[in-house]
Amino acid sequence: DAGVIQSPRHEVTEMGQEVTLRCKPISGHDYLFWYRQTMMRGLELLIYFNNNVPIDDSGMPEDRFSAKMPNASFSTLKIQPSEPRDSAVYFCASRRQGGGNTIYFGEGSWLTVV
Amino acid sequence: GIQVEQSPPDLILQEGANSTLRCNFSDSVNNLQWFHQNPWGQLINLFYIPSGTKQNGRLSATTVATERYSLLYISSSQTTDSGVYFCAVDLAGGATNKLIFGTGTLLAVQP
């Protein structure tokens, strides 16, 4: 089975630009998570979906961040406008309900905002 | 909120040595997982272990939920074990999806 697939793997953008990160979860998984990793704050949960519905977005830092899941095989995390402090690695992860709570991470999207 | 502390913060081992990593958490949990982040940044789930003991090859983990800690044992370490080890927990009684990650233990295994 293919794992969680994220794109782009690396992105460098200028402050003020819109950034869209994409994720394809593992087929059959009911839950999708977006995490952010920085040196200062470690790994933080931003938002998660269950059956394409956002359940908890309390970790989304501010209104510049938004996430959608239009169908079971695709999700986006958008930052508009981007700022240098958004530079981080953004991970998407998924798991199957009843799957022993094992969560599978993608390889991450490395974002640099200059 | 719940605090998740890992020790030691970093560790250097010679290949073949054994090590124990510790995770302390401040509240009751119903989910505890150990992850390995390799030097390329990939996060791999090692164990789902809210209580008890599990073993997988050279790795094993024990969680004593009543005393709020978990241990990860690495035996006969190899250079491929290098990376950061995270424990992550979810509060008992809460949603089983809001994993809170510890600060990690950075492990370097030297040949």
Side-chain angles (χ1 to χ4, degrees):
Chain A
D1 283 339
V4 177
I5 299 172
Q6 293 187 243
S7 64
R9 289 295 317 281
H10 301 271
E11 177 147 351
V12 180
T13 191
E14 291 185 347
M15 183 173 62
Q17 296 298 305
E18 178 179 292
V19 173
T20 299
L21 308 178
R22 298 172 177 79
C23 175
K24 177 179 170 55
I26 294 173
S27 178
H29 281 196
D30 309 281
Y31 290 89
L32 183 140
F33 308 86
W34 283 100
Y35 282 87
R36 178 172 69 175
Q37 186 176 31
T38 61
M39 288 295 294
M40 293 299 295
R41 300 176 66 89
L43 272 157
E44 307 172 276
L45 176 64
L46 301 178
I47 185 172
Y48 78 91
F49 297 82
N50 179 213
N51 292 323
N52 313 338
V53 176
I55 302 301
D56 190 329
D57 65 355
S58 60
M60 295 286 261
E62 47 196 279
D63 291 346
R64 298 184 297 105
F65 286 69
S66 62
K68 294 182 179 180
M69 192 167 185
N71 58 62
S73 59
F74 184 66
S75 177
T76 60
L77 178 67
K78 188 173 293 187
I79 309 172
Q80 167 64 21
S82 58
E83 296 182 2
R85 60 191 169 125
D86 301 330
S87 299
V89 184
Y90 291 82
F91 287 98
C92 178
S94 70
R95 79 166 181 89
R96 181 173 56 85
Q97 187 156 355
N101 284 307
T102 299
I103 186 170
Y104 298 88
F105 281 81
E107 294 184 321
S109 292
W110 298 61
L111 174 65
T112 302
V113 183
V114 298
Chain B
I2 189 170
Q3 303 297 313
V4 184
E5 297 179 349
Q6 293 185 240
S7 60
D10 47 68
L11 184 61
I12 300 174
L13 297 176
Q14 290 299 121
E15 202 167 24
N18 303 328
S19 64
T20 301
L21 281 54
R22 188 177 179 102
C23 173
N24 291 330
F25 41 95
S26 60
D27 212 333
S28 298
V29 299
N30 61 9
N31 185 348
L32 187 144
Q33 301 187 35
W34 283 97
F35 294 86
H36 175 220
Q37 187 168 35
N38 65 24
W40 295 270
Q42 191 172 9
L43 276 160
I44 305 295
N45 186 295
L46 298 175
F47 293 103
Y48 165 70
I49 186 164
S51 63
T53 297
K54 289 186 178 179
Q55 182 157 5
N56 184 2
R58 296 181 298 102
L59 301 181
S60 64
T62 295
T63 297
V64 183
T66 53
E67 297 187 22
R68 300 182 183 172
Y69 72 88
S70 183
L71 301 174
L72 178 70
Y73 305 96
I74 305 174
S75 64
S76 303
S77 59
Q78 301 176 358
T79 56
T80 52
D81 296 330
S82 296
V84 183
Y85 289 82
F86 291 101
C87 69
V89 303
D90 181 26
L91 281 173
T96 58
N97 296 294
K98 296 190 71 171
L99 284 178
I100 308 299
F101 280 77
T103 52
T105 292
L106 175 60
L107 175 65
V109 181
Q110 298 178 337

